[in-house]
Amino acid sequence: MKKYKIGYTQGVFDMFHVGHLNLINRAKEQCEFLIVGVNSDELVLSYKNKKTIVGENERVEIVANIKAVDKAVISDTLDKVVQHKKLQFDAIFIGDDWKGSERWKATEEELAKIGVDLVYLPYTQGVSSTKLRVVADNSVEEN
């Protein structure tokens, strides 16, 4: 029996890599139904101040086709309480690299008020879309 009925995780998932896959698979191990939010292009631009390499429609299609994902949605907000109102999940899963941050401490407190658990999962060291993007940018410049 899995601990949670409906789980949720959210991210950009640009230049999809094994760290993304590990997060999704580890989240699915703990819930019966996993919803994955893919941040919209506009949302990413608003808080990262950069455009994605892969557009939102392609990113959500990639995520939707992962075996562990039961439903993929495009997310227009970082506010997890707003997402909960739409999706009614029991738990949110994020990488433990965020543990202790002010943003996630506040989010955890807000979610606890509505009975939603925040679960930190092991972060995959050594890989990130930001690092992949730097490598891609450098190889384009060399050609």
Side-chain angles (χ1 to χ4, degrees):
M1 181 85 170
K2 301 215 177 176
K3 187 171 182 180
Y4 301 103
K5 184 160 181 61
I6 301 173
Y8 181 73
T9 191
Q10 181 175 329
V12 180
F13 303 108
D14 197 19
M15 298 175 67
F16 197 89
H17 55 71
V18 73
H20 295 139
L21 188 61
N22 289 342
L23 175 71
I24 289 168
N25 285 337
R26 288 173 180 146
K28 180 61 178 180
E29 288 171 359
Q30 296 194 38
C31 63
E32 294 173 28
F33 190 89
L34 180 63
I35 304 168
V36 179
V38 176
N39 293 352
S40 70
D41 293 341
E42 189 175 316
L43 179 61
V44 174
L45 189 59
S46 75
Y47 73 92
K48 285 197 172 195
N49 212 22
K50 61 184 177 186
K51 290 185 177 185
T52 59
I53 303 286
V54 180
E56 65 189 30
N57 292 325
E58 291 171 343
R59 289 183 288 118
V60 80
E61 186 174 339
I62 289 165
V63 169
N65 280 281
I66 295 167
K67 184 171 39 176
V69 176
D70 296 297
K71 180 178 182 176
V73 297
I74 293 177
S75 300
D76 293 318
T77 181
L78 295 175
D79 187 325
K80 302 308 184 263
V81 174
V82 169
Q83 288 300 84
H84 178 263
K85 286 177 184 169
K86 292 182 205 170
L87 302 169
Q88 298 298 304
F89 43 77
D90 307 309
I92 287 187
F93 303 98
I94 64 168
D96 64 7
D97 54 320
W98 290 105
K99 197 169 199 168
S101 75
E102 289 305 314
R103 172 184 165 205
W104 283 101
K105 280 193 233 173
T107 299
E108 189 171 3
E109 289 171 13
E110 288 300 309
L111 292 171
K113 292 175 189 172
I114 55 175
V116 175
D117 290 347
L118 176 57
V119 180
Y120 292 96
L121 298 173
Y123 175 74
T124 303
Q125 297 294 324
V127 64
S128 75
S129 295
T130 302
K131 288 180 184 175
L132 290 173
R133 187 177 186 140
V134 168
V135 171
D137 287 347
N138 287 340
S139 66
V140 168
E141 290 171 9
E142 291 171 7
N143 292 332

